[in-house]
Amino acid sequence: SCLLQMAASSSTSLFAGVRFYVETSSSASELIKELKRRGGDRQYALDSFVTHVISDDKDILELAQATGVPVVTPNWVWLSIHCNRLMRLEDMLLAKAIFSGMVVFFAEDIKESEVATLWTLLALRGGRSSASLTSECTHVLTRT
């Protein structure tokens, strides 16, 4: 599956035609840089020119939905880059992001094959994983 593999390089036109507005509680500078590097056009106001709102903050849902603009999680950007194609918006909508704000560390007793599957499910629903146990982690997943 594309979600489990990394693209060697991602197209510089991957986000061509995407006029994005970012409203996120996490650091957005890297996200914005990668979107622009791959052809995205940043908008500084949520107006009729915006095609995508990228956010992990559910407070923006009502405003964005009133404009009819889809609100996707930052994972939509990262997974699109990794797969070198735009992921389906329906899978990455913030309204479906039940794990939004969750950062999971997978303990060593979780098998590598299971980590890949769990990471995919976590990412599709707004969560993130951490390669090491840090203060950013909100959950530790272990078999015991």
Side-chain angles (χ1 to χ4, degrees), residues 97-130:
I98 60 173
F99 299 131
S100 181
M102 186 182 290
V103 180
V104 176
F105 171 73
F106 297 107
E108 291 178 7
D109 62 344
I110 306 294
K111 295 177 187 172
E112 192 173 324
S113 61
E114 293 171 325
V115 168
T117 301
L118 292 167
W119 176 85
T120 301
L121 295 171
L122 182 68
L124 283 174
R125 293 295 175 240
R128 296 184 300 127
S129 64
S130 176

Side-chain angles (χ1 to χ4, degrees), residues 15-128:
F15 295 110
V18 174
R19 294 183 307 275
F20 65 94
Y21 175 81
V22 174
E23 179 75 34
T24 178
S25 59
S26 58
S27 175
S29 60
E30 186 70 19
L31 181 80
I32 292 166
K33 181 179 93 176
E34 293 300 325
L35 279 158
K36 290 170 70 174
R37 192 176 96 155
R38 290 171 173 82
D41 182 20
R42 183 179 186 187
Q43 304 294 302
Y44 292 91
L46 183 51
D47 56 26
S48 61
F49 296 108
V50 173
T51 61
H52 297 72
V53 173
I54 301 165
S55 181
D56 57 7
D57 183 355
K58 291 191 177 187
D59 289 340
I60 198 162
L61 279 175
E62 190 173 323
L63 176 62
Q65 288 174 340
T67 65
V69 178
V71 182
V72 294
T73 67
N75 284 336
W76 176 76
V77 175
W78 301 123
L79 290 173
S80 294
I81 290 169
H82 292 315
C83 295
N84 201 24
R85 67 178 179 88
L86 295 181
M87 302 305 293
R88 288 175 11 117
L89 293 177
E90 297 79 17
D91 293 333
M92 307 301 290
L93 293 172
L94 180 61
K96 293 183 177 181
I98 60 173
F99 299 131
S100 181
M102 186 182 290
V103 180
V104 176
F105 171 73
F106 297 107
E108 291 178 7
D109 62 344
I110 306 294
K111 295 177 187 172
E112 192 173 324
S113 61
E114 293 171 325
V115 168
T117 301
L118 292 167
W119 176 85
T120 301
L121 295 171
L122 182 68
L124 283 174
R125 293 295 175 240
R128 296 184 300 127

